[in-house]
Amino acid sequence: MTLSSPQRSALADQVIAALRTQITSGEWPVGTRIPTEPELVEELGVARNTVREAVRALAHNGLLDIRQGSGTYVVATSELAGVMHRRFADADPRHVAEMRAALETSGARLAALRRTEHDMAQLDALLERREAAWKSGDAERFVEADASLHLGVLNASHNDVLTALYADLGEVMRDFLRLDIGEDLHPESHMDHARLIEAIRARDEEAASREAASHTQEWRCGTGNSSDRQGPKAARGTKSRETPGSDARRS
């Protein structure tokens, strides 16, 4: 009986590890297209089949999305994040908002209790970045900046399990935030997060928890139309069926 070379499998594992490191380190952020197969072959010095095997493995694990004719994109930063993203792609937005509220109110309370001066410097910088993103009018930039600030609050809780779970659900929540705010930013939908940061600074656990809860409540109230209740994946399908004369502003 002839067996395939064990070296090939070991080499593929090395390539998988190298590509995963590019993703988890942030070198290839979520949403970016990774280098093409020929580019990876040249960069890694391995055969095309080995690169293809590694990319397919990471796609199977939910970190990459292979799009015919477009390329391969990063869709999650960990295997668990990939599973979460697929599992909850069609979840009811209100259920996502309730889950977000549970995590963020707990995280804000703990952050007020445990935050350090270094944490506050980080939160101040993230808040400033969020406000700059809002003023830029770039919806995608704002989504990323808003998500980074909320993750920063969770980091300040110094609860590694809570922070990791929130991070793994991050792309799920970013998807629903994109759906909630649409392609354009409107003044009436802006939520001030300065009070949340000040409550954490003051070590006021109740105020921090209350502010975090108010943000998720407002987000929940913004998911009122029927396509939103179907989740991002279904809503995208609804949009594709809209006619040019419909009331929808987003394509």
Side-chain angles (χ1 to χ4, degrees), residues 142-184:
F142 175 73
V143 166
E144 292 301 327
D146 183 75
S148 294
L149 176 60
H150 286 286
L151 182 57
V153 171
L154 269 292
N155 282 327
S157 75
H158 296 278
N159 182 314
D160 292 342
V161 176
L162 188 63
T163 302
L165 177 60
Y166 188 87
D168 284 329
L169 284 162
E171 190 57 28
V172 175
M173 290 185 279
R174 283 193 290 272
D175 266 358
F176 281 95
L177 181 57
R178 290 184 187 103
L179 186 64
D180 197 46
I181 67 173
E183 295 178 357
D184 302 311

Side-chain angles (χ1 to χ4, degrees), residues 27-42:
E27 188 68 26
W28 294 345
V30 170
T32 60
R33 186 175 64 180
I34 72 170
T36 64
E37 192 174 276
E39 288 171 338
L40 289 173
V41 166
E42 182 176 353

Side-chain angles (χ1 to χ4, degrees), residues 48-199:
R48 182 183 291 262
N49 285 345
T50 303
V51 168
R52 191 171 299 159
E53 182 181 349
V55 168
R56 285 176 177 170
L58 291 174
H60 177 74
N61 289 345
L63 276 70
L64 297 176
D65 181 26
I66 303 170
R67 303 173 190 173
Q68 196 67 32
S70 177
T72 299
Y73 293 79
V74 178
V75 293
T77 55
S78 73
E79 278 81 358
L80 179 56
V83 170
M84 294 285 199
H85 191 232
R86 291 196 303 270
R87 172 65 180 82
F88 299 117
D90 290 320
D92 187 319
R94 288 171 180 76
H95 296 169
V96 175
E98 288 165 0
M99 174 272 300
R100 181 185 176 190
L103 295 177
E104 290 187 5
T105 53
S106 296
R109 182 184 294 276
L110 290 173
L113 180 67
R114 300 171 179 171
R115 65 86 174 161
T116 65
E117 290 305 314
H118 176 71
D119 291 328
M120 291 313 308
Q122 291 268 40
L123 290 174
D124 286 337
L126 289 169
L127 178 62
E128 185 176 341
R129 177 185 166 201
R130 180 183 184 272
E131 292 307 302
W134 177 268
K135 290 174 183 176
S136 75
D138 185 328
E140 183 58 30
R141 180 182 168 191
F142 175 73
V143 166
E144 292 301 327
D146 183 75
S148 294
L149 176 60
H150 286 286
L151 182 57
V153 171
L154 269 292
N155 282 327
S157 75
H158 296 278
N159 182 314
D160 292 342
V161 176
L162 188 63
T163 302
L165 177 60
Y166 188 87
D168 284 329
L169 284 162
E171 190 57 28
V172 175
M173 290 185 279
R174 283 193 290 272
D175 266 358
F176 281 95
L177 181 57
R178 290 184 187 103
L179 186 64
D180 197 46
I181 67 173
E183 295 178 357
D184 302 311
L185 301 178
H186 301 281
E188 64 273 14
S189 63
H190 182 261
M191 287 184 275
D192 180 20
H193 283 30
R195 291 192 300 272
L196 169 61
I197 303 308
E198 288 309 310

Side-chain angles (χ1 to χ4, degrees), residues 7-26:
Q7 284 297 106
R8 170 170 292 187
S9 177
L11 188 56
D13 287 341
Q14 291 177 40
V15 173
I16 290 170
L19 300 185
R20 182 185 285 111
T21 297
Q22 293 292 98
I23 296 168
T24 57
S25 69

